[in-house]
Amino acid sequence: MLNRNPKSKRNERILIKVLVPGNVAGSIIGKGGEAIKQIKKTTNSVIRVSSRDEIFPFTDERIVLIISPAEKIMESISFVHSKIRNAKSEQIDRPVNQYARCAQCKREI
């Protein structure tokens, strides 16, 4: 049954699942969870990032669940996208250490 009540559009929530590289999922959460708390507050959204051991099958990607009011969904998606883009650019800009040290054995590898 189709609900044609115009008020129902205002209460509509949209659910989206996004796959994100496992190594950038932390940037969506932010230090101490501050980044994700802020976007949840400003968009009235639910945003959940799967744990490290809950990855999409046959990938290293984690699942981000976004449940947002229809009028705020693009803002929520843009937040996640910008965090991924910024994290990726930081990784590209980071110099590679040719002489990395093995943390456990304290010798060059």
Side-chain angles (χ1 to χ4, degrees):
M1 186 164 128
L2 185 61
N3 185 352
R4 296 195 185 272
N5 182 352
K7 285 186 176 182
S8 68
K9 281 281 189 197
R10 279 188 260 152
N11 296 329
E12 183 180 8
R13 295 181 74 77
I14 296 174
L15 181 144
I16 293 180
K17 289 183 181 179
V18 180
L19 295 179
V20 300
N23 60 343
V24 299
S27 65
I28 294 169
I29 299 165
K31 251 188 188 165
E34 286 304 312
I36 203 166
K37 285 179 196 171
Q38 182 63 33
I39 194 65
K40 285 179 176 182
K41 186 177 179 181
T42 58
T43 62
N44 193 27
S45 298
V46 173
I47 300 177
R48 293 192 184 119
V49 179
S50 66
S51 67
R52 286 189 176 123
D53 60 337
E54 294 177 319
I55 58 172
F56 194 74
F58 307 109
T59 71
D60 66 345
E61 298 192 338
R62 291 169 64 181
I63 303 158
V64 176
L65 171 69
I66 303 169
I67 304 171
S68 182
E71 66 274 3
K72 295 287 190 172
I73 191 67
M74 290 309 295
E75 188 176 345
S76 300
I77 293 170
S78 292
F79 163 79
V80 171
H81 183 256
S82 70
K83 292 294 183 182
I84 293 168
R85 189 176 56 243
N86 291 341
K88 283 291 192 181
S89 68
E90 286 174 11
Q91 290 175 357
I92 292 168
D93 293 341
R94 189 177 306 142
V96 176
N97 183 358
Q98 280 182 292
Y99 304 103
R101 291 190 169 270
C102 174
Q104 293 175 338
C105 58
K106 308 278 192 239
R107 63 182 172 90
E108 288 187 5
I109 54 174

